[in-house]
Amino acid sequence: LLLENQKRILAGTDAGVYITTLKADRWLKWSKGLPLTIISDLETNPENTVVQAATFGRGLYQTLLPEPGKKKKEAVSLEEYS
């Protein structure tokens, strides 16, 4: 899911949700308010402040998106997924 006005990308995976910027070489695991389960679909509101995640067998979750530029310690290298 590309958040064009914030130049960020969200990815729903079988291990939760990950976030990156268009220029970054790392994906950050982002799970605040979301379960660690298979994410089958992601949607945002028009302002890109809230994300809704559809999960496999756990229902629908909604939470606030992290603020652009906010740092997080847990990062995953892109090479780990290539």
Side-chain angles (χ1 to χ4, degrees):
L1 178 63
L2 176 63
L3 307 175
E4 291 184 47
N5 64 337
Q6 297 174 4
K7 298 181 182 171
R8 298 188 294 169
I9 302 170
L10 287 173
T13 73
D14 61 349
V17 176
Y18 288 81
I19 190 167
T20 190
T21 65
L22 296 178
K23 295 182 180 180
D25 64 348
R26 296 189 175 270
W27 286 85
L28 304 176
K29 190 170 190 176
W30 179 63
S31 60
K32 185 174 182 175
L34 300 172
L36 295 177
T37 189
I38 297 170
I39 305 296
S40 57
D41 194 18
L42 291 172
E43 292 288 333
T44 62
N45 63 339
E47 297 81 26
N48 289 328
T49 57
V50 175
V51 67
Q52 296 172 330
T55 67
F56 181 77
R58 304 256 328 251
L60 182 67
Y61 289 78
Q62 179 173 296
T63 188
L64 293 175
L65 280 166
E67 297 174 26
K70 193 171 184 179
K71 303 280 183 186
K72 187 161 181 191
K73 294 179 184 175
E74 188 178 353
V76 179
S77 170
L78 288 179
E79 290 104 32
E80 294 179 39
Y81 290 97
S82 21

